[in-house]
Amino acid sequence: MNDDRRSHEASILRAFFDDQLQHLHQLVSNLGSHIHDAELQANEDRQIVESFVDASNTKMRAVQGYSDKLSEHVRALHRHVLHVADRIPPPVDLNREAFESDPLVNALFVNSKDIEKLFATDPDAKVYLRSRSKNQVPVLYALLTAIKSEKRMLGMDMHGEILIREVPQQAVNFSLHKIHAPCSGGAELSAALKEYLFGCVVGLVKREMVSRMASHQSFSTGDESYESKVKSLANPDVYLNALLGYIEAPDKLLNIDKTHFKLSKLGIKLQDDDSGQRANEFDIHELIWSNDTRNVVLQIAYVR
């Protein structure tokens, strides 16, 4: 009986140690996975910083510890750009059928022929489509931007059966349509969209810093003193610090705005309670850049 009890206790101990050993293996495995993920993230962060430096000003590499100094700000800017990209709705069909059925597409173009004309004349779309057959890319995915303009005008309106002239109206127009980042699939477009937005932000940052350098040089013309050179934006340390100050608020460099519209078929803005005529009712998303430029933006799918 004692032997049975000792055997039972030994069995319990073996099960206990087996469980502990398995738990230890799991902890080691999780730690290894965590370290691997951390290394991947660190590598990705370094690549983002180096890409930013390549696109903005490679002279910043002359600053000791430039990567560490830039890292926090550049990663915050990159995260903000990803957040903006995530707020842009999924691709919409862009074709003759969509012009008839989708209020947004109908409002963006005067007629369905303008859609075909866009893909036949847009430089990026032309190059992409010419280099790939319909069998290779039956559906083209891309980013579409346009400029929205609004103008006060006097027009005509119906009140019941009475025609009233010279009624103040707000006309909404969309122009300068442009195709960006053409590709062959939705997942590819999602990645291309984020790369496109980040590249545009970095381009704006570079232009701003070049403008500041030009302004600084014009004020300090003829001043060749050591102090002037040290404080100049031509000094990589001074340049980097100025750049960090400029990019510390990412939402001022790029933001996105969503607006609801109700337009007549002639592009006249209607009130919510105006149900006396056919209308397009839709939301638009506009990118707002640091130079006060606004672009209507949407992801599109174009069947060839």
Side-chain angles (χ1 to χ4, degrees), residues 27 33 37 39 50 94 185 216 238 242-243 249 282 284-285 287 290:
L27 287 176
S33 177
D37 291 344
E39 289 176 348
E50 294 304 325
L94 195 60
H216 187 271
V238 175
L243 181 140
F282 54 90
I284 66 167
H285 292 75
L287 298 172
S290 58

Side-chain angles (χ1 to χ4, degrees), residues 193-249:
L193 165 62
K194 294 165 185 174
E195 182 178 345
Y196 167 78
L197 293 179
F198 189 65
C200 288
V201 170
V202 175
L204 284 173
V205 170
K206 181 176 182 178
R207 286 193 288 275
E208 170 64 22
M209 296 305 295
V210 168
S211 176
R212 291 187 184 189
M213 289 182 70
S215 298
H216 187 271
Q217 288 174 356
S218 66
F219 281 115
S220 59
T221 300
D223 187 354
E224 297 294 333
S225 67
Y226 174 77
E227 183 180 1
S228 175
K229 291 180 179 179
V230 169
K231 293 181 178 180
S232 169
L233 284 173
N235 181 334
D237 285 282
V238 175
Y239 182 96
L240 190 146
N241 288 330
L243 181 140
L244 290 177
Y246 183 62
I247 67 173
E248 66 180 353

Side-chain angles (χ1 to χ4, degrees), residues 46-88:
R46 281 193 292 270
Q47 289 175 6
I48 292 171
V49 170
E50 294 304 325
S51 295
F52 179 87
V53 172
D54 285 336
S56 55
N57 190 337
T58 57
K59 291 183 179 179
M60 287 188 289
R61 291 195 173 100
V63 179
Q64 185 174 4
Y66 74 92
S67 183
D68 292 336
K69 293 178 180 179
L70 284 168
S71 180
E72 182 179 348
H73 286 72
V74 173
R75 286 189 292 112
L77 176 60
H78 189 255
R79 286 194 300 269
H80 176 71
V81 169
L82 298 187
H83 175 67
V84 169
D86 288 340
R87 292 178 59 187
I88 299 174

Side-chain angles (χ1 to χ4, degrees), residues 41-277:
Q41 185 61 54
N43 287 334
E44 182 179 341
D45 290 343
R46 281 193 292 270
Q47 289 175 6
I48 292 171
V49 170
E50 294 304 325
S51 295
F52 179 87
V53 172
D54 285 336
S56 55
N57 190 337
T58 57
K59 291 183 179 179
M60 287 188 289
R61 291 195 173 100
V63 179
Q64 185 174 4
Y66 74 92
S67 183
D68 292 336
K69 293 178 180 179
L70 284 168
S71 180
E72 182 179 348
H73 286 72
V74 173
R75 286 189 292 112
L77 176 60
H78 189 255
R79 286 194 300 269
H80 176 71
V81 169
L82 298 187
H83 175 67
V84 169
D86 288 340
R87 292 178 59 187
I88 299 174
V92 300
D93 290 334
L94 195 60
N95 51 40
R96 186 185 302 272
E97 291 74 19
F99 180 80
E100 299 296 336
S101 61
D102 189 326
L104 174 58
V105 175
N106 188 268
L108 284 173
F109 295 90
V110 176
N111 55 59
S112 61
K113 292 181 179 179
D114 285 345
I115 297 175
E116 298 300 327
K117 181 180 178 181
L118 172 65
F119 286 96
T121 59
D122 181 90
D124 288 354
K126 282 172 60 179
V127 170
Y128 188 86
L129 292 174
R130 284 178 179 175
S131 62
R132 294 161 180 83
S133 68
K134 288 185 179 181
N135 291 333
Q136 290 175 309
V137 182
V139 181
L140 177 136
Y141 289 79
L143 187 68
L144 171 67
T145 60
I147 302 297
K148 176 183 68 67
S149 58
E150 298 189 31
K151 182 175 68 174
R152 297 287 296 177
M153 58 181 291
L154 296 177
M156 296 183 293
D157 196 9
M158 293 293 296
H159 283 261
E161 296 182 357
I162 301 175
L163 178 65
I164 301 178
R165 301 179 184 275
E166 298 190 349
V167 178
Q169 295 176 332
Q170 190 83 355
V172 180
N173 182 57
F174 298 95
S175 60
L176 300 177
H177 300 70
K178 182 78 177 69
I179 298 293
H180 309 271
C183 55
S184 61
E188 187 180 351
L189 176 58
S190 178
L193 165 62
K194 294 165 185 174
E195 182 178 345
Y196 167 78
L197 293 179
F198 189 65
C200 288
V201 170
V202 175
L204 284 173
V205 170
K206 181 176 182 178
R207 286 193 288 275
E208 170 64 22
M209 296 305 295
V210 168
S211 176
R212 291 187 184 189
M213 289 182 70
S215 298
H216 187 271
Q217 288 174 356
S218 66
F219 281 115
S220 59
T221 300
D223 187 354
E224 297 294 333
S225 67
Y226 174 77
E227 183 180 1
S228 175
K229 291 180 179 179
V230 169
K231 293 181 178 180
S232 169
L233 284 173
N235 181 334
D237 285 282
V238 175
Y239 182 96
L240 190 146
N241 288 330
L243 181 140
L244 290 177
Y246 183 62
I247 67 173
E248 66 180 353
D251 59 329
K252 293 182 179 180
L253 300 176
L254 172 65
N255 219 323
I256 188 168
D257 182 43
K258 176 182 175 181
T259 309
H260 186 76
F261 277 87
K262 184 176 183 180
L263 303 181
S264 73
K265 293 296 183 178
L266 296 177
I268 303 301
K269 189 180 289 187
L270 303 175
Q271 300 300 318
D272 291 337
D273 58 355
D274 191 341
S275 58
Q277 56 181 302

